[in-house]
Amino acid sequence: MDDTAAMPLDAETKVSERPADHEAELRLWLRLFTCTTLIEGEIRRRLREQFDSTLPRFDLMAQLDKAPAGMNLGELSQRMMVSNGNVTGLAERLVTQGLLERRPSPTDRRAQLVSLTAEGRRAFRAMARTHEGWIAEMFAGLKPGEIESLMQLLARAKASARKVAAAGESK
Amino acid sequence: MDDTAAMPLDAETKVSERPADHEAELRLWLRLFTCTTLIEGEIRRRLREQFDSTLPRFDLMAQLDKAPAGMNLGELSQRMMVSNGNVTGLAERLVTQGLLERRPSPTDRRAQLVSLTAEGRRAFRAMARTHEGWIAEMFAGLKPGEIESLMQLLARAKASARKVAAAGESK
DNA sequence: GGCAATTACTTTAAGCTTAAAATATATCCC
DNA sequence: GGGATATATTTTAAGCTTAAAGTAATTGCC
């Protein structure tokens, strides 16, 4: 019935509410997660209802819209931060819809080059314009200064988390 | 070269680079999303590697840990903010693993009551302790004041988004 | 009592996602 | 040149997630 090992240091550990050591961080994570999930869910819902599309498809198209010459699937998966296999399936569905075009890379017979079709580009631009409005709507309750503060604090949080995540993946 | 506003109608608004009216909000959303995804991915990875578990399973168990008497699936799905069908499958897998127990509700023959088994409770507590440490680790780069500021700004963002999302769902 | 509406849950179909294994090609080095 | 290694992509198996349709039981109301 002693507690946490050795307890090397730092007073800090108040006692009374023992378990709560990192309560502030836990609550922050919960709030961050809830906030993101709330907005994300609404965006997904609207993409589906208004454009019969999905967030991953939108993301993929956004990457290609920035690269008119097209790119291969590996590069796409890196930029989207998802697995290779994921992009394979996503691209396939977009090709079926006529929004995406694949052709073999001229320099590497293992690789495929994908790019938006004219229709894909048109469809994406329409979605993107509307999407931008949705996001503005979601954050309409924040003042410009609050947006700026949030940006900076999230940058700090991201840097902090990135350090931890990066450490693990070198492995 | 001024822009936006006024300009009500626009056929198309040609003007090459239409400057993205809501760029600040868009960048904020991107950062919020990236930050959450980064942390979430690391948590998922660790749950899998260290506990052979998943985030949805962890969340479900967390709800039940707070309700020793158990609860029915509908209540669980509400608290987790996911669909009913989702909980059905999740619970099924946890039962298979011996971490969850189902029994018919004594008062309503349509309903099931679920609760953690002794083993489930033990497993959850172990995970929760470790999980708390991970979260603290992720945010270790932030000062207490920064955590506090983030909490408040995210609360404002959440309230803003909630208003928008709620408006749509009454329908 | 009996029937309509509601509620609790499950099933289905579709898509997203990943890790791991498999395939095909390219590159490096002797 | 030829074999080892690395790279680009696809396939597979498993799980998560949802909306919509289906089933069963309960509740409300006449």
Side-chain angles (χ1 to χ4, degrees):
Chain A
M1 227 227 272
D2 77 329
D3 42 309
T4 60
M7 172 113 51
L9 10 36
D10 50 355
E12 202 38 44
T13 42
K14 213 351 189 348
V15 196
S16 78
E17 267 299 340
R18 194 49 259 57
D21 258 328
H22 304 298
E23 221 197 320
E25 287 89 344
L26 227 31
R27 280 188 302 129
L28 175 57
W29 169 234
L30 183 62
R31 185 160 297 174
L32 182 60
F33 187 72
T34 306
C35 196
T36 300
T37 300
L38 176 65
I39 297 173
E40 189 184 345
E42 185 65 15
I43 299 299
R44 285 180 190 273
R45 192 174 67 74
R46 293 183 182 192
L47 281 175
R48 180 170 43 75
E49 292 182 356
Q50 295 183 34
F51 294 104
D52 191 28
S53 190
T54 68
L55 197 47
R57 260 120 104 153
F58 180 77
D59 286 346
L60 191 157
M61 293 173 83
Q63 292 300 332
L64 289 184
D65 188 58
K66 292 188 289 191
M71 67 178 87
N72 62 37
L73 295 179
E75 192 176 349
L76 203 45
S77 86
Q78 270 190 300
R79 296 200 189 197
M80 295 176 69
M81 300 194 289
V82 300
S83 68
N84 281 348
N86 192 345
V87 172
T88 295
L90 235 28
E92 195 170 297
R93 287 182 284 271
L94 285 168
V95 168
T96 303
Q97 285 190 279
L99 304 175
L100 212 69
E101 230 164 26
R102 318 170 77 132
R103 63 213 144 85
S105 161
T107 61
D108 186 337
R109 279 190 304 169
R110 291 167 306 179
Q112 304 265 346
L113 242 37
V114 289
S115 52
L116 292 178
T117 60
E119 189 190 342
R121 192 169 301 276
R122 212 179 319 119
F124 172 72
R125 297 262 166 98
M127 280 196 285
R129 211 175 312 122
T130 304
H131 173 266
E132 183 172 342
W134 294 340
I135 299 300
E137 190 186 353
M138 299 280 182
F139 290 125
L142 300 185
K143 305 184 198 107
E146 291 177 322
I147 292 182
E148 190 49 40
S149 302
L150 251 182
M151 281 293 285
Q152 288 178 17
L153 286 166
L154 287 172
R156 301 257 307 138
K158 187 166 137 189
S160 177
R162 178 88 73 189
K163 205 180 307 179
V164 175
E169 87 204 10
S170 59
K171 204 204 311 243
Chain B
M1 229 227 268
D2 79 330
D3 43 303
T4 68
M7 190 155 337
L9 299 0
D10 50 317
E12 215 26 28
T13 36
K14 185 48 159 89
V15 194
S16 64
E17 267 300 334
R18 222 330 177 200
D21 263 327
H22 305 297
E23 220 195 323
E25 287 90 343
L26 226 30
R27 279 189 303 130
L28 175 57
W29 169 234
L30 183 61
R31 185 161 298 174
L32 181 61
F33 187 72
T34 306
C35 193
T36 301
T37 300
L38 176 65
I39 297 172
E40 189 185 346
E42 186 66 15
I43 299 298
R44 285 181 190 273
R45 192 173 68 75
R46 293 185 182 190
L47 281 175
R48 179 171 43 76
E49 291 180 358
Q50 296 183 33
F51 294 104
D52 192 28
S53 189
T54 68
L55 196 48
R57 259 119 104 154
F58 180 78
D59 286 346
L60 191 157
M61 294 173 84
Q63 292 300 330
L64 289 183
D65 188 59
K66 293 188 291 193
M71 66 177 87
N72 62 37
L73 295 180
E75 192 175 350
L76 202 45
S77 84
Q78 270 190 298
R79 295 200 191 199
M80 294 176 68
M81 299 194 290
V82 300
S83 68
N84 280 348
N86 193 344
V87 172
T88 295
L90 235 28
E92 195 170 298
R93 287 183 284 268
L94 285 167
V95 167
T96 303
Q97 283 189 280
L99 304 174
L100 212 70
E101 229 165 26
R102 320 170 74 134
R103 63 210 145 85
S105 160
T107 61
D108 185 337
R109 281 190 301 170
R110 292 167 306 180
Q112 304 264 345
L113 242 38
V114 289
S115 52
L116 292 177
T117 60
E119 188 191 343
R121 193 169 302 278
R122 212 179 320 117
F124 172 72
R125 297 264 166 95
M127 280 195 284
R129 210 175 314 120
T130 304
H131 174 266
E132 185 172 340
W134 294 340
I135 298 300
E137 189 186 354
M138 300 280 181
F139 290 125
L142 300 185
K143 306 183 197 107
E146 292 177 320
I147 292 182
E148 191 49 41
S149 302
L150 250 183
M151 281 293 284
Q152 289 180 16
L153 286 167
L154 287 172
R156 301 256 308 137
K158 186 166 139 189
S160 176
R162 179 88 75 190
K163 205 179 308 180
V164 176
E169 90 204 8
S170 58
K171 191 158 10 204

